Amino acid sequence: MKISKYIILFLSIMFLWSGIQALLNIYPTYLWFQNLGFDSVFWITMLAKFKVAIVFSLLFIAIVGANVLLARRIGKGSRKLKKINFNTGFDSFFKQIRRNLGEEFGASNNNDNKPIIEVEELSPEEEKKHNLFWIAGITIFGIIIGLGTITQWEIFLKALNATSFNLADPIFNKDISFYMFTLPFYKFLQGFISFALFAALIGSIWIYINDRALGINLRGLQFGKGAKTHLALLLAIVMLVVACGIYLNIFDLLYSERGVVFGASFTDIHAQILGYNMEIYAAILTAILLIIFIFRGSLLLPISGIVIFLAVTLLMGSVYPAIIQSWRVNPNEITMEQPYIKHNIEFTRKGFGLDNVEEEKFAVKDNLSINKLNLNRKTIQNIRLLDPRPLKKTYRQLQEIRLYYEFADVDVTRYNLESGYRQVMSSPREMDVTQLPEKAQSWINQRLKYTHGYGLCLSPVNQITTGGLPNFFVKDIPPVSSEKDLNIDRPEIYYGEKTNNYVIVNTKEQEFDYPKGDSNVYTTYKGSGGVQINSLLGKLLFAIKFNDTKILLTGYIDGQSRVMFDRNIKKRVKQIAPFIAYDSDPYMVVNQGKLCWILDGYTLSNLFPYSEPAGQGYSKFNYIRNSVKVVIDAYDGMVDFYISDPKDPIIATYSKIFPKLFKPISEFPKGLKQHIRYPYDLFMVQAAKYSAYHMLDPQVFYNQEDLWSIPNENYAGSEQPMEAYYTIMRLPKEKKEEFLLMLPLTPNNKSNMIAWLAARCDGDNYGKLIVYKFPKDKLVYGPMQIEARIDQETEISKQLSLWGQKGSRVIRGNLLAIPIEESILYVEPLYLEASEGELPELKRVIVAYKDRIAMEETLNGALQNIFSGKIKTSSAVQTTAERVSGSLKSLADEALNLYNKALGSLKSGNWNSFGDRIENLGETLRRLKSRAK
């Protein structure tokens, strides 16, 4: 008992210390939520976890504790085995054991030999201590089990706040909300009660064996007084709970993978349900036989029940369905499975939001002319020539300015500017303190001084300088904007994709703001972001949270200081709303002089009946909606969640749970509405699903007669799946251009194009999916066919080889298929990158139309080569799709840049690169001379 006391004392101390640590971490987290205005979210979540832990701890303690104490009481009058003396031989020992067991249970007793088992009764005080020990152990174990259930708080709250889908499943006619919200809670509850009952059963059996109220002799299993009744009743309840679990398993058949498609198949409906019902009856029968066993002494009754149950489970639950599948369904699969294939098609389309895809015919007439191109000049002016991947390298070389800045990603969006509706590419200039020199990696620099990034780069997708570099609308530090709508008044980026460390602002140490020549400009934070540290207790709490004693010891922190943590925007939103899945690509926009992040959020589930899952492993899902748009202020970190799909029952349920978390989309900031775009991740999932689920006829679907696939493209010398791309264009039958996300589709295992899918992003049309199908009797070149034709073009191939021989790397950018009128135009940019550098330059633009291919320095030049005419440009757009000549200053800067690179090539002995740089320098100087006249 002394050892037991020490164990309980040790566990109690561990629980106490864990509780103290949890409280110390919880309070700073609460302050973080409070700063963001989401303290109600914090309390709702914490209280839900607390209630779940309490309820299931008490439930476990009640079930196990009641049974254990009952077992202790029943076994109290039985003889206790206290001590065994090994004074005789082995044979004599076991003979005496059998003799004592026989005496205990009424068997014949031989008194010729002295028993070797000495029996003692426990005193009342010892009995009380034993009971307290059991109670303490069960309580501690119950608390541990209860704490393990706090992860199920969502299931609990969703079941209480379920929102109807107004859609019933085709088999059991239950609303889908039952499967999404209620069934998971029932299954968890049934599983938990089963676990608690099994724990009670094992504990009771252990006590009865230990108290000699349960044993075995030569006549079989023997029970002491009362033990049989208790264990029989407990096992009967276990069997009834098992029957409940089997009943719930019937509904899981709607997620069956047995048949030709996902969801309940013919075998599941006509054989497996019968098998489950038989198992339920067998489990109930076993429970009844166990109860009868209490009044009639034959052990044969419960054994028979258990054997029947196991036999039914094996035969009716496994063997019979397998026979039906093999002998009846497989020989007649299409006939038998046709209704269930239809259910799968219907519910997969609903699960992935494909049930409202508009289908249009695209009659490819190939009658494009220079006049029609000019009628669609806004589409031409917004064809994306800049590719995000090489552009990121270019931004880094031209605009990172200092080694501690980094462009993490390049994003595509659009702006309504004075020059028109423009598609642009942008990238925020974030701070990465890990790039500081090793000697500068001090605590003050990492936490107090280098706290934020600064500004962004922004370029139109189709304008380049003569040197093949992007023409900037926004550049430099401080940001310089060539469009007044892009002026930035608050360029600091405290919250971003690279802000993974905590910082402290408003300290006695000024923050580095931005570099200026040979010196730096410093600043003090003026926003409301972060948690204020205004006391010694606050410093202590954050020192413990971050395991950083310098917070406690430094003299730089005063009453106005604020600690910013969880600054990574993905982690930030996940901390607030972990039940939402988030897009992989947040993007930054300029709005009224401020920098804001926009991030798409999804509601996911793998519980939508009959819907074919996407994803792999634990990340599988068969229901997805882009139900949330999140806006994060890059300066103060404030976060706003907007419901973008109020028809989604899942987000409606979460809105009931957290009434102060979500705002209606009608309150979305007006200036940011123009930047809402259809999310890329969702679109690619839908495109992959639609490739099969555009087939509505079950027989056609079964035979996969019209299966589509996402085509490949040649990028940077390697073949890879084509990526969807944003573009501004005018859809057939529409009057004006709009921002779209689109992707060509090809027949499976073929290269010609069969259709293209588009997601609309503007105004009232936002979120609408439309597919344009090509005539099946007409060949429309697909991306890889165009790539092959480009490779076979003699002049293009010769030029590419020539560049490669000079030591440069040719990068073929994204191939874009642009529908115009009733034709398809292909555009592919070509980049050139010096072998020793990372500054890709756009050198050529390839245009393909019908059987014609042209490669020129500009898009307009390539179009005019193919269509033999002049492309008109908008007066509001400076030489759109052409190389921008630039101002005298920009030309001089470009010349100096080329001169420095030429010197670098000369020093490294790279004569090919040196020749290229000198040639480009001469061209720039000629333009400079021309502009100076």
Side-chain angles (χ1 to χ4, degrees):
M1 289 300 295
K2 288 183 178 180
I3 295 176
S4 301
K5 289 179 182 178
Y6 289 136
I7 292 173
I8 293 173
L9 180 62
F10 173 75
L11 291 174
S12 300
I13 293 172
M14 290 297 295
F15 269 113
L16 181 62
W17 175 241
S18 299
I20 291 172
Q21 281 188 314
L23 288 174
L24 290 175
N25 280 307
I26 283 173
Y27 186 64
T29 303
Y30 165 70
L31 294 177
W32 184 87
F33 274 88
Q34 188 181 51
N35 173 255
L36 292 171
F38 293 131
D39 46 329
S40 65
V41 175
F42 175 86
W43 286 119
I44 289 170
T45 304
M46 290 301 298
L47 288 174
K49 291 179 179 179
F50 177 76
K51 289 176 182 178
V52 168
I54 290 293
V55 167
F56 286 100
S57 292
L58 292 176
L59 182 59
F60 183 87
I61 292 169
I63 292 173
V64 178
N67 282 279
V68 164
L69 291 178
L70 180 60
R72 290 285 301 161
R73 185 173 181 179
I74 290 172
K76 183 177 179 181
S78 299
R79 296 170 63 184
K80 314 297 188 293
L81 297 178
K82 294 296 293 181
K83 184 166 60 178
I84 300 178
N85 297 318
F86 295 92
N87 295 325
T88 61
F90 231 52
D91 291 338
S92 177
F93 170 74
F94 283 106
K95 286 179 182 177
Q96 191 63 38
I97 285 286
R98 287 195 296 271
R99 185 176 295 110
N100 277 272
L101 287 173
E103 179 183 336
E104 175 72 19
F105 295 108
S108 62
N109 187 23
N110 188 346
N111 294 320
D112 294 338
N113 297 319
K114 184 179 179 180
I116 63 168
I117 302 177
E118 298 179 5
V119 180
E120 285 183 25
E121 294 288 340
L122 289 175
S123 68
E125 185 176 344
E126 287 179 316
E127 187 71 29
K128 185 176 181 181
K129 288 180 180 179
H130 273 251
N131 287 337
L132 288 175
F133 170 76
W134 276 100
I135 292 171
I138 292 169
T139 301
I140 291 173
F141 194 58
I143 292 171
I144 294 172
I145 296 298
L147 290 174
T149 65
I150 64 174
T151 57
Q152 306 301 317
W153 66 272
E154 268 188 72
I155 291 179
F156 179 72
L157 290 182
K158 285 193 290 187
L160 292 177
N161 296 275
T163 302
S164 174
F165 275 70
N166 294 318
L167 174 68
D169 78 272
I171 304 300
F172 305 110
N173 199 34
K174 287 185 174 291
D175 190 88
I176 301 301
S177 60
F178 170 78
Y179 301 94
M180 303 285 267
F181 306 127
T182 310
L183 183 60
F185 176 71
Y186 286 165
K187 292 182 69 176
F188 172 73
L189 185 62
Q190 185 272 337
F192 184 88
I193 292 174
S194 296
F195 172 75
L197 288 171
F198 274 113
L201 184 63
I202 292 169
S204 299
I205 291 172
W206 172 264
I207 290 170
Y208 286 136
I209 291 175
N210 192 56
D211 288 347
R212 297 190 63 195
L214 174 65
I216 185 170
N217 63 8
L218 299 178
R219 297 192 306 170
L221 191 65
Q222 299 294 318
F223 297 91
K225 185 178 179 181
K228 181 173 77 170
T229 302
H230 177 208
L231 292 178
L233 277 174
L234 186 55
L235 195 55
I237 294 171
V238 168
M239 293 307 299
L240 291 176
V241 173
V242 168
C244 291
I246 297 170
Y247 173 73
L248 296 177
N249 287 342
I250 293 175
F251 299 105
D252 280 342
L253 290 176
L254 297 187
Y255 315 114
S256 171
E257 298 184 22
R258 171 185 275 131
V260 67
V261 293
F262 185 84
S265 63
F266 180 92
T267 301
D268 294 316
I269 301 302
H270 295 88
Q272 193 65 63
I273 291 179
L274 175 62
Y276 280 151
N277 285 329
M278 294 295 289
E279 289 177 38
I280 292 171
Y281 298 145
I284 295 172
L285 175 63
T286 304
I288 293 171
L289 292 176
L290 281 163
I291 294 172
I292 294 173
F293 170 64
I294 296 172
F295 305 100
R296 298 187 62 179
S298 176
L299 195 61
L300 186 62
L301 285 174
I303 292 176
S304 300
I306 292 171
V307 169
I308 291 171
F309 174 74
L310 294 176
V312 169
T313 300
L314 176 63
L315 295 176
M316 297 303 297
S318 298
V319 176
Y320 175 65
I323 292 173
I324 294 297
Q325 181 71 32
S326 299
W327 292 2
R328 186 175 178 188
V329 176
N330 289 347
N332 307 284
E333 196 168 52
I334 182 58
T335 304
M336 297 288 192
E337 300 285 17
Q338 186 164 336
Y340 310 105
I341 295 174
K342 188 176 180 181
H343 297 329
N344 173 264
I345 294 171
E346 178 188 357
F347 279 81
T348 300
R349 287 170 64 93
K350 289 181 184 296
F352 288 90
L354 300 172
D355 50 327
N356 292 317
V357 175
E358 299 176 34
E359 295 190 1
E360 297 285 346
K361 293 181 179 179
F362 193 94
V364 183
K365 296 183 179 179
D366 288 332
N367 56 0
L368 201 57
S369 65
I370 198 73
N371 290 332
K372 289 187 176 181
L373 287 177
N374 285 325
L375 289 174
N376 291 274
R377 60 179 178 271
K378 287 185 179 179
T379 297
I380 300 298
Q381 290 164 2
N382 281 285
I383 292 176
R384 197 188 77 200
L385 301 181
L386 298 177
D387 190 285
R389 287 161 287 193
L391 184 61
K392 183 164 78 169
K393 292 183 179 180
T394 304
Y395 278 179
R396 285 176 172 174
Q397 291 293 320
L398 298 180
Q399 285 288 308
E400 278 191 350
I401 313 290
R402 293 289 189 270
L403 52 85
Y404 39 75
Y405 287 128
E406 182 173 350
F407 293 105
D409 190 23
V410 176
D411 297 305
V412 180
T413 185
R414 77 284 196 197
Y415 287 83
N416 276 306
L417 304 173
E418 286 187 347
S419 59
Y421 192 38
R422 306 300 302 274
Q423 185 181 186
V424 300
M425 311 197 80
S426 66
S427 184
R429 187 185 292 105
E430 296 199 52
M431 173 69 69
D432 185 0
V433 293
T434 62
Q435 299 300 320
L436 287 170
E438 187 176 351
K439 291 184 178 179
Q441 295 275 349
S442 65
W443 185 83
I444 290 176
N445 281 345
Q446 290 182 322
R447 305 302 183 190
L448 310 183
K449 186 174 289 291
Y450 291 92
T451 57
H452 58 274
Y454 207 86
L456 52 70
C457 288
L458 190 146
S459 310
V461 296
N462 60 340
Q463 287 187 359
I464 55 172
T465 66
T466 304
L469 301 176
N471 178 49
F472 290 102
F473 278 178
V474 181
K475 63 178 180 177
D476 297 340
I477 297 177
V480 177
S481 304
S482 61
E483 296 269 355
K484 76 173 185 178
D485 293 327
L486 297 175
N487 289 335
I488 302 174
D489 303 320
R490 182 57 75 189
E492 299 90 345
I493 302 173
Y494 284 88
Y495 300 85
E497 294 183 83
K498 302 293 291 185
T499 48
N500 296 313
N501 61 318
Y502 81 86
V503 296
I504 304 174
V505 299
N506 285 359
T507 64
K508 296 176 183 177
E509 177 72 16
Q510 280 198 311
E511 301 169 54
F512 166 78
D513 201 22
Y514 61 88
K516 186 177 183 180
D518 295 330
S519 61
N520 294 327
V521 176
Y522 295 91
T523 188
T524 299
Y525 183 71
K526 300 177 178 64
S528 58
V531 176
Q532 194 166 2
I533 309 176
N534 52 12
S535 65
L536 180 62
L537 178 60
K539 293 171 71 173
L540 175 63
L541 287 173
F542 284 106
I544 294 172
K545 178 177 178 63
F546 299 120
N547 195 25
D548 192 342
T549 56
K550 292 183 178 67
I551 295 177
L552 197 60
L553 301 176
T554 184
Y556 289 107
I557 298 176
D558 58 26
Q560 301 302 313
S561 299
R562 309 179 75 89
V563 58
M564 296 180 175
F565 57 100
D566 289 339
R567 297 190 301 141
N568 183 293
I569 55 173
K570 292 182 182 178
K571 182 179 179 181
R572 195 170 185 82
V573 296
K574 200 71 177 173
Q575 178 87 339
I576 299 167
F579 41 83
I580 301 294
Y582 296 96
D583 195 82
S584 61
D585 186 27
Y587 56 101
M588 177 174 279
V589 298
V590 181
N591 179 45
Q592 298 179 348
K594 298 177 67 177
L595 300 178
C596 298
W597 293 95
I598 298 178
L599 178 59
D600 286 286
Y602 307 111
T603 49
L604 301 177
S605 178
N606 60 356
L607 299 174
F608 199 77
Y610 268 112
S611 178
E612 183 77 32
Q616 296 179 345
Y618 291 108
S619 61
K620 283 186 177 181
F621 58 92
N622 61 7
Y623 177 91
I624 182 171
R625 293 292 185 272
N626 175 214
S627 299
V628 177
K629 301 285 184 183
V630 189
V631 177
I632 307 105
D633 191 294
Y635 186 70
D636 59 26
M638 291 298 136
V639 182
D640 291 301
F641 293 81
Y642 297 92
I643 296 178
S644 54
D645 186 359
K647 295 180 181 179
D648 173 31
I650 296 181
I651 201 64
T653 297
Y654 281 125
S655 187
K656 291 178 185 177
I657 297 170
F658 302 104
K660 294 184 180 180
L661 175 58
F662 300 102
K663 298 179 180 179
I665 195 66
S666 58
E667 296 182 15
F668 201 84
K670 185 178 180 181
L672 292 176
K673 280 187 177 180
Q674 64 170 314
H675 302 295
I676 292 177
R677 68 184 193 186
Y678 199 87
Y680 173 89
D681 289 353
L682 172 61
F683 183 77
M684 291 302 291
V685 169
Q686 290 177 313
K689 281 296 174 191
Y690 194 73
S691 296
Y693 284 90
H694 69 277
M695 296 180 283
L696 301 180
D697 183 273
Q699 187 159 351
V700 173
F701 185 92
Y702 175 82
N703 294 320
Q704 299 288 279
E705 296 175 19
D706 194 20
L707 183 64
W708 298 348
S709 63
I710 295 173
N712 288 342
E713 65 172 337
N714 189 335
Y715 177 80
S718 62
E719 189 174 325
Q720 64 181 36
M722 193 171 191
E723 296 181 350
Y725 47 90
Y726 293 97
T727 187
I728 292 178
M729 60 169 285
R730 183 165 59 87
L731 288 173
K733 301 179 183 179
E734 295 293 334
K735 295 182 179 179
K736 66 176 184 177
E737 286 73 16
E738 57 185 288
F739 191 60
L740 302 170
L741 178 60
M742 65 169 292
L743 180 70
L745 296 166
T746 60
N748 192 43
N749 296 324
K750 292 186 178 180
S751 298
N752 61 291
M753 199 191 305
I754 192 68
W756 57 279
L757 180 68
R760 307 176 76 172
C761 301
D762 287 350
D764 294 336
N765 290 321
Y766 174 83
K768 293 181 179 179
L769 295 175
I770 185 167
V771 62
Y772 290 90
K773 295 183 177 181
F774 298 141
K776 293 186 178 181
D777 57 351
K778 184 176 180 65
L779 173 65
V780 180
Y781 287 125
M784 285 308 296
Q785 290 174 323
I786 295 295
E787 298 279 20
R789 291 184 57 223
I790 291 173
D791 291 335
Q792 295 164 8
E793 188 71 22
T794 305
E795 291 301 319
I796 294 177
S797 179
K798 186 188 299 183
Q799 182 62 62
L800 296 181
S801 299
L802 182 62
W803 280 328
Q805 291 170 4
K806 289 184 177 182
S808 297
R809 178 180 177 231
V810 178
I811 302 174
R812 290 166 68 162
N814 286 131
L815 179 67
L816 306 181
I818 309 296
I820 300 178
E821 297 287 341
E822 296 171 313
S823 303
I824 300 293
L825 188 73
Y826 279 99
V827 178
E828 182 175 82
L830 284 183
Y831 290 83
L832 206 60
E833 183 179 45
S835 57
E836 82 287 352
E838 285 203 356
L839 186 62
E841 298 173 352
L842 181 61
K843 283 298 181 185
R844 296 291 186 271
V845 179
I846 298 176
V847 173
Y849 174 68
K850 293 172 61 175
D851 295 326
R852 286 168 276 174
I853 296 178
M855 182 176 75
E856 299 291 342
E857 290 190 0
T858 66
L859 174 61
N860 282 358
L863 290 172
Q864 289 168 175
N865 184 321
I866 287 181
F867 294 100
S868 302
K870 185 172 179 59
I871 299 294
K872 296 179 182 178
T873 58
S874 170
S875 59
V877 181
Q878 182 186 16
T879 58
T880 302
E882 296 289 344
R883 297 178 183 267
V884 180
S885 60
S887 63
L888 292 175
K889 182 179 181 304
S890 65
L891 288 171
D893 290 341
E894 185 179 335
L896 181 60
N897 184 41
L898 289 168
Y899 171 73
N900 289 330
K901 289 179 181 178
L903 287 180
S905 299
L906 183 62
K907 290 177 182 178
S908 63
N910 190 331
W911 296 103
N912 289 330
S913 178
F914 176 75
D916 289 342
R917 302 302 186 195
I918 290 297
E919 182 181 343
N920 290 336
L921 176 60
E923 184 180 350
T924 303
L925 290 173
R926 285 190 292 273
R927 287 167 45 229
L928 182 61
K929 180 180 178 181
S930 176
R931 290 295 303 270
K933 289 181 179 180

